[in-house]
Structures are given as C-alpha cells and as structure tokens.
C-alpha cells in the first residue's frame, strides 16, 4: 500500500511540476514573446548564424530550466511555484553554483528570442521582467527561505551567488 501511495505522490508531483512550468516560464518566456514581441512572425533561416545562435540559447535555456524543475521535484519534493515550493532546501545540481538558475534559464531563453527577433520591445520586456524578478527574489523569496530553512539557507546564500555562478569542487556547506 505504501508503494502505491508513493507512486501516486510522485505522479502528482510530476503533474504539478509540469503544470507550473507551463504556467510560469511558459507564459513569460513562451506565450508573451510569441504573441506580443514578434516571435510568431519570425521566418527562421537555418543558414543564418544568428538564428542558429538564438535557437541554441533557447534550447540551452529550456534544458537548464528542465534540470532545475527536476531537481526541485527530486531533491526538494516541490515545484517552482511560490505556492507549492520545495520542502527541502535544494543545493544540488545547478543550485550548487547559483541560487537562481531557473530565472537565469528563462533569461537565456529570452536572450535567444532577442537574438532571433532583434526586437527592442522584447529587450524592454526582458529588462522589466528581470527587474521584477530581482524585486521578487530580494523582497519575497530570500526572506521566505531564510525563515523556512534558517541557518542552512544563510550559510548557502553566503557561499553561492544570487546571479553570478560560483563554481565549487564540492557541495556548498549548509
């Protein structure tokens, strides 16, 4: 019986993770650039090196985002949504090097879209988005994590950068 409950729990976590990925980064890095910033009108040319670079950035950002979502589910037993967060502090994978790799992954996706469209409006959108993310991280996420995980998060935040990766040979001390 416990195994059956565990399977359903894992399936439910996977469903929630996928749903939140579609709703949050899917909205900000997918739907809005597609609908409002020219991505849907792009005439992709495989012979154009800038188009290939843009596609590479989008693919890399999506892969990094998927790795982060997986790590949140696997190690933290939660999702990327603030209302359904991990239960454990996640310091594995990309989180060993930077505290906010999901936001950086979305930034990489939008950077790829910028390279593809060369849209000034998309650049302005990204700047506003990133400023809002900074305010959210500093004003809500970090205080919430300090409250939830205490000294462990404090030690983690002292050894791992918010936006600039720090490459360590081992696991951050928490």
């Amino acid at each position: 019986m416990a195994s059956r409950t565990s399977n359903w729990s894992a399936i439910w976590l996977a469903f929630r993770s996928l749903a939140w990925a579609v709703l949050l980064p899917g909205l900000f890095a997918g739907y809005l650039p597609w609908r409002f910033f020219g991505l849907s009108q792009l005439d992709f040319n495989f012979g154009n090196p800038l188009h290939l670079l843009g596609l590479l950035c989008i693919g890399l950002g999506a892969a990094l985002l998927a790795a982060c979502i997986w790590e949140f589910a696997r190690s933290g037993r939660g999702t990327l949504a603030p209302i359904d967060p991990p239960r454990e502090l996640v310091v594995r994978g990309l989180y060993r090097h930077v505290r906010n790799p999901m936001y950086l992954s979305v930034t990489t996706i939008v950077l790829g879209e910028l390279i593809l469209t060369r849209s000034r409006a998309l650049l302005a959108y990204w700047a506003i988005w990133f400023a809002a993310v900074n305010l959210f991280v500093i004003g809500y996420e970090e205080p919430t994590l300090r409250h939830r995980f205490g000294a462990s998060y404090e030690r983690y935040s002292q050894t791992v950068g918010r936006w600039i990766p720090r490459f360590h040979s081992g696991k951050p001390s928490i």
Side-chain angles (χ1 to χ4, degrees), residues 9-155:
S9 178
I11 290 168
W12 177 237
L13 178 58
F15 174 78
R16 293 187 340 256
S17 295
L18 181 60
W20 285 117
V22 169
L23 286 172
L24 294 175
L27 173 69
F28 291 106
Y31 176 74
L32 293 175
W34 182 265
R35 175 74 172 88
F36 298 107
F37 298 106
L39 199 56
S40 65
Q41 285 86 35
L42 181 70
D43 185 20
F44 190 84
N45 177 358
F46 281 101
N48 183 334
L50 283 178
H51 283 192
L52 293 175
L53 178 60
L55 190 61
L56 177 68
C57 287
I58 292 168
L60 178 63
L64 294 173
L65 181 62
C68 293
I69 292 168
W70 170 259
E71 202 59 60
F72 259 32
R74 184 176 80 121
S75 298
R77 307 303 302 156
T79 74
L80 60 105
I83 62 170
D84 190 14
R87 294 181 185 106
E88 303 292 328
L89 181 62
V90 177
V91 297
R92 297 172 51 149
L94 295 171
Y95 292 90
R96 284 180 30 224
H97 307 292
V98 66
R99 293 196 311 261
N100 297 291
M102 278 196 217
Y103 296 124
L104 293 175
S105 299
V106 171
T107 291
T108 304
I109 293 168
V110 176
L111 173 64
E113 295 166 346
L114 275 165
I115 293 169
L116 287 173
T117 63
R118 294 185 213 119
S119 166
R120 289 185 185 151
L122 186 55
L123 177 62
Y125 164 79
W126 173 82
I128 292 166
W129 174 83
F130 197 72
V133 164
N134 267 293
L135 291 173
F136 181 73
V137 165
I138 294 167
Y140 173 77
E141 275 191 359
E142 289 180 351
T144 300
L145 292 169
R146 277 188 182 86
H147 177 74
R148 182 177 295 141
F149 299 114
S152 294
Y153 181 77
E154 197 59 47
R155 284 189 300 276

